[in-house]
């Protein structure tokens, strides 16, 4: 497993398990399979409603808690200084931990950025108190990062954004690199391109002929090629799966390298078309939902 060092010196695995859209009753088994396979980073979120199952699986495993990097996210309904401090208590309680390794804001919420600033200042306090080891953001575009940094003190350690061969977000990646923020790719193998509910087009990047040809050249799967593309460009990845064989396959990406030409060929697949919702349309009115107590 490759290790990345965050801008505050904390280290995190370069690859972890994501549990977005994993039903609670399937989450424990997926996390167990991942830990057994060698994963040491699990990414969840209050808005996924499966934090408790993630925590239960970690507690039941033979892996020491200190060896597992736990990441979770504050949903927009809990933005605001005091609300976010309480949201930490809810997440920590469900996860069954006293300290969270990486706590991030799930959206920029540009329509109420005052609440975003209050929420991030709460994260800064949690960091100072040692309740979290690192803090960050998710789905923040360049303008959101500029506004955040103008009013807060701690540069985010991570920005978790949609990145895959069909949507590379090069401008945001470059901004994060400039600021020393680790780019973390959600939907790293392009699952968002065929999830229902996001646009009319249903091209699967897994079926792309360019990626398929590169995979054949290395004797690998398209998913493994995409994960390698991210890793070689310095991004952290959190592929999601509930299938044990796929969970194992996604981890088996540290013993081959793509050529510069192959990396460039994958970069060239960028369509500029977002699969998930534009951060600007994520508002409390449209996306607010209550996050239960621990």
């Amino acid at each position: 497993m490759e290790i990345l060092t965050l801008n505050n010196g904390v280290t995190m695995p370069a690859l972890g398990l994501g549990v977005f859209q994993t039903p609670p009753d399937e989450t424990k088994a997926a996390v167990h399979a991942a830990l057994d396979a060698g994963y040491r980073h699990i990414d969840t979120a209050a808005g996924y409603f499966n934090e408790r199952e993630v925590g239960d699986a970690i507690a039941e495993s033979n892996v020491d808690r200190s060896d597992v990097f736990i990441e979770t996210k504050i949903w927009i309904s809990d933005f605001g200084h005091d609300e976010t401090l309480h949201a930490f208590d809810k997440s920590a309680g469900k996860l069954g931990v006293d300290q969270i390794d990486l706590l991030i804001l799930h959206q920029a919420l540009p329509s109420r950025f005052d609440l975003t600033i209050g929420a991030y200042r709460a994260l800064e306090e949690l960091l100072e108190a040692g309740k979290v080891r690192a803090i960050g953001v998710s789905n923040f575009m360049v303008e959101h990062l500029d506004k955040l940094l103008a009013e807060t003190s701690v540069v985010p350690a991570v920005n978790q954004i949609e990145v895959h061969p069909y949507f590379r977000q090069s401008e945001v990646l470059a901004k994060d690199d400039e600021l020393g923020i680790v780019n973390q790719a959600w939907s790293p193998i392009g699952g968002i391109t065929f999830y229902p509910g996001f646009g009319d087009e249903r091209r699967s990047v897994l079926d792309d002929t360019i990626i398929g040809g590169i995979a054949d050249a290395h004797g690998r799967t398209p998913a493994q090629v995409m994960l390698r593309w991210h890793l070689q460009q310095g991004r952290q990845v959190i592929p999601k799966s509930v299938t044990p064989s796929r969970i194992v396959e996604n981890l088996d990406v540290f013993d081959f390298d793509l050529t510069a030409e192959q990396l460039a060929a994958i970069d060239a697949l960028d369509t500029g078309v977002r699969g998930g919702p534009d951060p600007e349309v994520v508002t409390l009115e449209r996306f607010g939902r209550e996050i239960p107590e621990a």
Side-chain angles (χ1 to χ4, degrees), residues 51-200:
E51 288 175 306
R52 193 179 310 279
E53 289 72 23
V54 167
D56 287 347
I58 292 171
E60 293 168 5
S61 75
N62 294 322
V63 181
D64 289 341
R65 161 67 187 98
S66 61
D67 292 331
V68 182
F69 192 95
I70 299 176
E71 175 180 4
T72 193
K73 311 174 194 69
I74 305 293
W75 186 241
I76 58 174
S77 305
D78 284 335
F79 277 17
H81 178 271
D82 293 348
E83 294 86 348
T84 296
L85 291 178
H86 183 57
F88 165 82
D89 293 333
K90 291 195 285 188
S91 287
K94 292 169 189 170
L95 290 164
V97 299
D98 296 321
Q99 184 186 61
I100 294 171
D101 297 291
L102 176 59
L103 185 61
I104 68 178
L105 302 183
H106 207 147
Q107 295 284 343
L109 195 61
S111 62
R112 288 297 312 273
F113 208 73
D114 58 317
L115 295 178
T116 304
I117 295 297
Y120 194 79
R121 288 175 176 161
L123 294 191
E124 292 179 320
E125 291 181 18
L126 292 165
L127 179 67
E128 179 66 24
K131 293 186 176 181
V132 299
R133 299 176 62 222
I135 61 175
V137 295
S138 180
N139 300 302
F140 272 53
M141 302 296 98
V142 171
E143 62 272 23
H144 306 140
L145 291 169
D146 287 339
K147 289 177 65 177
L148 181 76
L149 293 175
E151 299 193 50
T152 58
S153 301
V154 178
V155 176
V158 164
N159 187 10
Q160 184 183 123
I161 57 176
E162 178 186 347
V163 185
H164 48 77
Y166 286 170
F167 189 61
R168 190 176 183 275
Q169 298 217 75
S170 296
E171 183 182 8
V172 182
L173 295 180
K175 180 69 171 183
D176 287 341
D177 288 343
E178 173 191 330
L179 294 171
I181 300 171
V182 167
N183 284 293
Q184 185 178 57
W186 65 258
S187 190
I189 57 177
I192 198 72
T193 62
F194 53 84
Y195 286 160
F198 294 119
D200 297 324

